[in-house]
Amino acid sequence: MKTDEEWMQHAITLAGKAEAAGEIPVGAVVVLHNEIVGEGWNQSIMNHDPSAHAEMLAVRAAGAKLGNYRMLDATLYVTLEPCAMCAGVLVHARVKRVVFGATDLKTGACGSVMDLARHATLNHQLQVDGGVLAAQCAQQLSDFFKRRRAEQKALKQAKQNEDAS
C-alpha cells in the first residue's frame, strides 16, 4: 500500500507536465484499491476549456477506465485544493476521499473559501485531508507564477525598448 505522500508525489510529477506545457502546475490522480484508475494535469489553456482542470481530467479518465461515473471507494490526490467546479464533480462522482497539497485561499472549496466537499445539505460528503506535501506543492506553484511574472515583465520591457527605438 502506497502512502498519501507517495501518491501526492505522483500528482506533483503530473503537475510538472502541466508546467512544461505552460499551464498552471496542478496534477491529480484517482486511486482505487491502491491502483491508479485516472490521472490528469491542468490543460485549460491548451484545450481552450475552462473545465480542463487536473481533477476533472483525472475523474473523466477514471470513469472511462471503470466504466462507471461513480467512484465510491476512490481517493483523489491533487496538488492544489479543488475549486467549486472540481469539488462539485467529486461530490457527483461519490469519490470517498480527497487529499490535497496546497490550500487555495482564493478559490478553495474543500475548506478554505467554502466547504462544498463536506456541505451538510448535499447528498454526499467527502473525507477531506489537506496539507499533504503542502510546502512542495505550494513551492511548485509559487515558482511557476514568479517565473511567469518575470517573463511578462521582460516582454513588456522589450516592447517599450522597441517602441522607444
Side-chain angles (χ1 to χ4, degrees):
M1 293 285 288
K2 286 190 176 183
T3 65
D4 286 348
E5 290 77 11
E6 290 172 308
W7 288 120
M8 187 61 71
Q9 191 59 56
H10 183 74
I12 290 168
T13 300
L14 294 171
K17 291 184 176 190
E19 186 170 12
E23 299 275 354
I24 295 170
V26 177
V29 59
V30 179
V31 176
L32 181 64
H33 308 303
N34 207 41
E35 179 186 324
I36 295 173
V37 293
E39 59 185 28
W41 53 91
N42 275 1
Q43 297 179 36
S44 294
I45 297 167
M46 70 172 54
N47 292 341
H48 311 290
D49 180 357
S51 73
H53 287 194
E55 303 95 317
M56 298 291 282
L57 298 175
V59 167
R60 288 175 189 157
K65 181 171 183 168
L66 297 171
N68 195 338
Y69 71 105
R70 299 283 197 227
M71 295 159 208
L72 298 175
D73 292 319
T75 297
L76 178 114
Y77 294 88
V78 61
T79 57
L80 181 65
E81 179 181 0
C83 68
M85 174 182 68
C86 294
V89 81
L90 299 176
V91 168
H92 286 292
R94 306 295 194 272
V95 169
K96 181 178 184 176
R97 180 173 175 239
V98 61
V99 178
F100 66 84
T103 57
D104 186 344
L105 300 176
K106 293 182 179 179
T107 64
C110 291
S112 291
V113 175
M114 66 184 79
D115 201 349
L116 188 61
R118 295 177 286 200
H119 198 284
T121 61
L122 296 177
N123 60 348
H124 177 73
Q125 292 80 36
L126 287 80
Q127 177 183 337
V128 176
D129 295 302
V132 174
L133 300 183
Q136 191 175 350
C137 293
Q139 191 65 53
Q140 187 177 33
L141 287 158
S142 179
D143 290 349
F144 170 80
F145 284 114
K146 183 178 181 182
R147 188 170 46 258
R148 191 157 94 171
R149 284 189 300 273
E151 289 167 357
Q152 289 172 345
K153 185 177 180 182
L155 284 172
K156 185 177 179 181
Q157 186 62 46
K159 183 170 178 5
Q160 288 175 346
N161 292 342
E162 185 180 295
D163 290 345
S165 305

